[in-house]
Amino acid sequence: MNTTVVTVDKEHPDRKVIERAGQILKSGGLVAFPTETVYGLGGDGLNPSSSQKIYQAKGRPSDNPLIIHIADLESLDKIVKKIPPKAQKMAEAFWPGPLTMIFEKSSLVPYETTGGLESVAVRMPSHPVAAALIKAGGGYVAAPSANTSGRPSPTQAAHVREDLEGKIDMIIDGGSVGIGLESTIVDFTEEEPVILRPGYINQEMMEAVIGQVKMDKGLLITDEKVRPKAPGMKYRHYAPRAPLTIVQGKEAETVAYINEQCEKLAEQGKKAGVIATDETREKYQASVVKSIGSRQEEEGIARHLFSILREFDEEDVEAIFSESFDTPRMGQAIMNRLLKAAGHHIIELSD
């Protein structure tokens, strides 16, 4: 398959390009496009064949549900059985934006899109390109991240080409994304809302709108026996090719431990990499040291996480060590992605 790559202006995308991409979606094809979180791989969310093509292109397990993207609140009524009052308040507060909500699905949504579940995940992105494409493509675009399953999510079109060129019809290049981590996912099929994936919109922000919101107990563990209710809950994700270890502790202890491990690897003739910050970069002696940004700018850390994981693939390192990131607002989201990338391999240093 020949993949067409078209560059558009983020704020004012070419109408002809969007219409062409919309026709591809309507005819059952796949289009990768930018959102405010990461690049998505879009197909017609109400077409079982399109959803199957998404799973095939990504190499994604078919029980891992897809998110349906909509462009207006009126579209939600057709694909869900009911909208709980708290979900309505969340939509009014955070849509369009990086929030996905899970509802009981209507009969209009095929099981191929929901991974066989009776529930459907729905989001309304704020990115102008995404909003325009959804409208042009029929109003219901199923779109997981536009990467090979298990790889770091794409934050620029080049990442999409690296993973999916030749497997999909079109890539719309709208430049680098703004947030860099996938949307927050909240389940509204239970009596009390439950966060299934942390993101830019955190627990505190949600509780200010609707009161108590629980964190799913499975966020920090991986249970292969559990059927995933939200994208990515069951599977290892975001992984670079080299094994990744997270080291958690005070700065001096963390730096000393990582340097010691890198020295041991060097003695064995192995190349190690370190994910550091602006504050600690000069303190490491590894073969490859990359700063993810300043701890004072946690949104920058989130935005650079996936791209820095991909950069290490180009360095041919045989092991990667990362500091942990317990930042105030986005720390949960950042650590959730890092833990999945590391296969939950974390070293906790004692005082």
Side-chain angles (χ1 to χ4, degrees):
M1 178 185 294
N2 180 43
T3 301
T4 303
V5 182
V6 185
T7 301
V8 299
D9 180 84
K10 173 185 173 181
E11 298 297 333
H12 305 286
D14 188 302
R15 189 181 67 183
K16 291 183 179 179
V17 171
I18 297 299
E19 288 176 353
R20 181 180 166 197
Q23 285 302 318
I24 291 173
L25 294 177
K26 287 178 178 178
S27 64
L30 304 182
V31 177
F33 61 98
T35 75
E36 69 274 25
T37 57
V38 298
Y39 271 75
L41 176 58
D44 182 350
L46 305 185
N47 182 341
S49 175
S50 294
S51 293
Q52 288 171 338
K53 286 180 181 178
I54 291 173
Y55 287 115
Q56 184 177 4
K58 283 177 60 72
R60 180 186 178 102
S62 61
D63 68 344
N64 198 358
L66 307 176
I67 295 173
I68 291 185
H69 293 60
I70 59 175
D72 53 66
L73 201 52
E74 292 72 28
S75 299
L76 185 61
D77 288 323
K78 297 179 182 178
I79 58 173
V80 305
K81 286 186 176 180
K82 61 180 179 179
I83 305 172
K86 287 185 178 180
Q88 181 71 34
K89 287 184 178 180
M90 289 278 280
E92 291 168 359
F94 300 115
W95 273 3
L99 171 71
T100 294
M101 294 189 280
I102 296 179
F103 306 91
E104 293 180 61
K105 81 176 190 70
S106 74
S107 58
L108 195 63
V109 183
Y111 289 112
E112 286 82 356
T113 299
T114 67
L117 299 176
E118 296 293 341
S119 57
V120 60
V122 188
R123 173 162 117 78
M124 188 191 301
S126 61
H127 197 291
V129 174
L133 178 62
I134 293 163
K135 292 174 184 176
Y140 300 95
V141 176
S145 54
N147 58 303
T148 301
S149 188
R151 294 269 289 137
S153 296
T155 55
Q156 22 181 308
H159 298 159
V160 182
R161 292 187 70 174
E162 182 181 332
D163 283 9
L164 298 178
E165 189 164 24
K167 298 179 181 178
I168 64 177
D169 299 280
M170 178 184 280
I171 299 171
I172 300 176
D173 184 350
S176 296
V177 301
I179 295 175
L181 294 183
E182 304 90 345
S183 59
T184 305
I185 298 180
V186 187
D187 183 7
F188 281 94
T189 64
E190 307 291 338
E191 190 170 327
E192 188 174 342
V194 181
I195 298 171
L196 301 184
R197 183 174 72 188
Y200 183 86
I201 297 170
N202 63 23
Q203 187 173 10
E204 184 179 354
M205 293 165 68
M206 289 183 274
E207 289 184 337
V209 175
I210 61 171
Q212 186 173 355
V213 181
K214 293 192 299 186
M215 271 284 188
D216 185 83
K217 294 178 181 178
L219 278 175
L220 298 181
I221 62 171
T222 303
D223 187 349
E224 292 297 327
K225 297 177 183 177
V226 175
R227 191 172 195 183
K229 198 167 192 177
M233 287 195 75
K234 174 178 171 183
Y235 300 96
R236 183 174 180 236
H237 270 245
Y238 322 122
R241 294 191 179 98
L244 171 65
T245 300
I246 303 165
V247 182
Q248 185 167 300
K250 293 180 179 178
E251 181 184 300
E253 295 171 341
T254 297
V255 171
Y257 177 86
I258 291 176
N259 277 337
E260 181 184 349
Q261 299 306 308
C262 291
E263 185 179 351
K264 288 179 180 178
L265 289 167
E267 289 172 356
Q268 300 169 29
K270 295 181 178 179
K271 190 176 179 182
V274 176
I275 298 175
T277 59
D278 289 352
E279 293 83 358
T280 59
R281 182 173 189 167
E282 301 303 322
K283 299 179 181 181
Y284 290 106
Q285 283 105 47
S287 303
V288 182
V289 181
K290 293 181 181 289
S291 173
I292 199 170
S294 170
R295 285 188 180 272
Q296 306 307 311
E297 299 287 339
E298 59 180 319
E299 291 188 15
I301 291 175
R303 188 165 57 250
H304 297 140
L305 176 60
F306 291 141
S307 60
I308 209 168
L309 289 174
R310 283 181 175 265
E311 285 176 20
F312 274 108
D313 287 346
E314 301 169 7
E315 300 286 357
D316 295 323
V317 295
E318 296 175 75
I320 306 169
F321 297 92
S322 176
E323 299 175 3
S324 65
F325 299 96
D326 187 21
T327 56
R329 198 177 74 76
M330 293 189 69
Q332 280 184 326
I334 294 166
M335 285 303 294
N336 171 262
R337 304 320 193 267
L338 258 182
L339 282 165
K340 282 187 170 292
H344 292 269
H345 186 212
I346 183 168
I347 303 294
E348 296 188 18
L349 302 175
S350 58
D351 293 336

